[in-house]
Amino acid sequence: MAALRALLPLLRIQLRPAARCYALRSFASGANFQYIIAEKRGKNNNVGLIQLNRPKALNALCSGLIEELNQVLETFEKDPAVGAVVLTGGDKAFAAGADIKEMQNQTFQDCYSGKFLSHWDQLSRFQKPVIAAVNGYALGGGCELAMMCDIIYAGEKAQFGQPEILLGTIPGAGGTQRLTRAVGKSLAMEMVLTGDRISAQEAKQAGLVSKIFPVETLVEEAIQCAEKIASNSKIIVAMAKESVNAAFEMTLTEGNKLEKKLFYSTFATDDRKEGMSAFVEKRKANFKDQ
């Protein structure tokens, strides 16, 4: 009951009509965004930064927000200058969950026939590395969105949870699957069945989060990590990401076979030759993404 009482203020916020931003945000592609802010950051403008921007609704994930997110991801995917992406929210909330108002009147037929929430999956198929910079609440769909990313950095006051059980439903965008793989069955089961949250410190101890930073420096730390990644060969980074992700889908034997094939494939690239030559010659590698 304590967890339910703590959650009710958040649920009331999400049940309000969709919050409207006062101004539309422009992006390099020329698109106007209502629920997100997107820009390129880093010394070489090689990091895509996406900020969820529905502060009055604690960044509740409405359909329009997800559509805009997917549009920006597609733009960054095609941009050869972008080597990694940082996804963040506000200081109070990364995303406090899905927009309950949008789904409260859905029927089974609506969900099944319309493949409800299927458009959330684009982030998990994004080829370039994505770092989630989580401040505040990452609950329900917000936690699921963070877990679709490749790396999670957390602010000191971040909280993670899957409280769908308190609404009479269960996670529907990967929460039962990705959370279990990240923190193990016992903790995942406890979080899913009780709706209880865990702190940033508990999340790091459980393996959900890799690093914790002060709230005010979190995003910049994530951008610095993204810059390091983006300075490497993009084609080799993509291979490395594919190989690590395969560990969640394959047996150890199958995963090792894929890793060997991808490892061998690097020897067909100019960047592998450049990287090893630079090491032998004691100079910095100049990767061309070829």
Side-chain angles (χ1 to χ4, degrees), residues 100-235:
I100 306 303
K101 185 176 178 64
E102 280 192 349
M103 68 173 65
Q104 64 177 337
N105 295 320
Q106 292 273 0
T107 65
F108 165 76
Q109 290 85 351
D110 294 333
C111 293
Y112 189 81
S113 300
K115 297 181 179 179
F116 187 50
L117 300 185
S118 62
H119 63 313
W120 286 39
D121 294 339
Q122 184 167 331
L123 178 59
S124 65
R125 297 190 298 270
F126 190 68
Q127 193 172 25
K128 298 175 182 179
V130 182
I131 302 171
V134 178
N135 269 322
Y137 302 115
L139 306 177
C143 187
E144 290 172 311
L145 194 69
M147 290 190 293
M148 291 181 197
C149 299
D150 302 299
I151 299 169
I152 302 179
Y153 279 5
E156 293 172 326
K157 298 179 181 179
Q159 296 183 41
F160 298 84
Q162 298 291 162
E164 290 85 352
I165 197 76
L166 304 177
L167 301 177
T169 187
I170 70 170
T176 63
Q177 303 303 301
R178 291 190 177 93
L179 185 63
T180 304
R181 285 165 169 78
V183 306
K185 177 184 175 182
S186 182
L187 181 55
M189 194 71 81
E190 180 182 359
M191 292 173 67
V192 170
L193 297 185
T194 66
D196 287 349
R197 310 171 198 169
I198 59 174
S199 66
Q201 293 73 24
E202 291 169 320
K204 185 177 186 299
Q205 185 177 7
L208 181 61
V209 165
S210 59
K211 291 181 180 179
I212 300 174
F213 296 100
V215 171
E216 60 273 12
T217 63
L218 171 67
V219 173
E220 286 305 318
E221 292 287 354
I223 290 173
Q224 287 181 27
C225 178
E227 284 187 282
K228 288 182 181 180
I229 294 171
S231 69
N232 295 315
S233 165
K234 295 180 182 62
I235 189 171

Side-chain angles (χ1 to χ4, degrees), residues 1 5 8 28 37 43 57 69 82-83 91 94 118 123 140 156 182 200 207 213 217-218 227 240 250 277 281:
M1 290 300 296
R5 286 194 295 270
L8 284 177
I37 301 171
K43 295 177 182 178
L69 173 62
V82 173
D91 289 347
F94 174 75
S118 62
L123 178 59
E156 293 172 326
F213 296 100
T217 63
L218 171 67
E227 284 187 282
M250 297 180 170
S277 296
E281 296 167 11

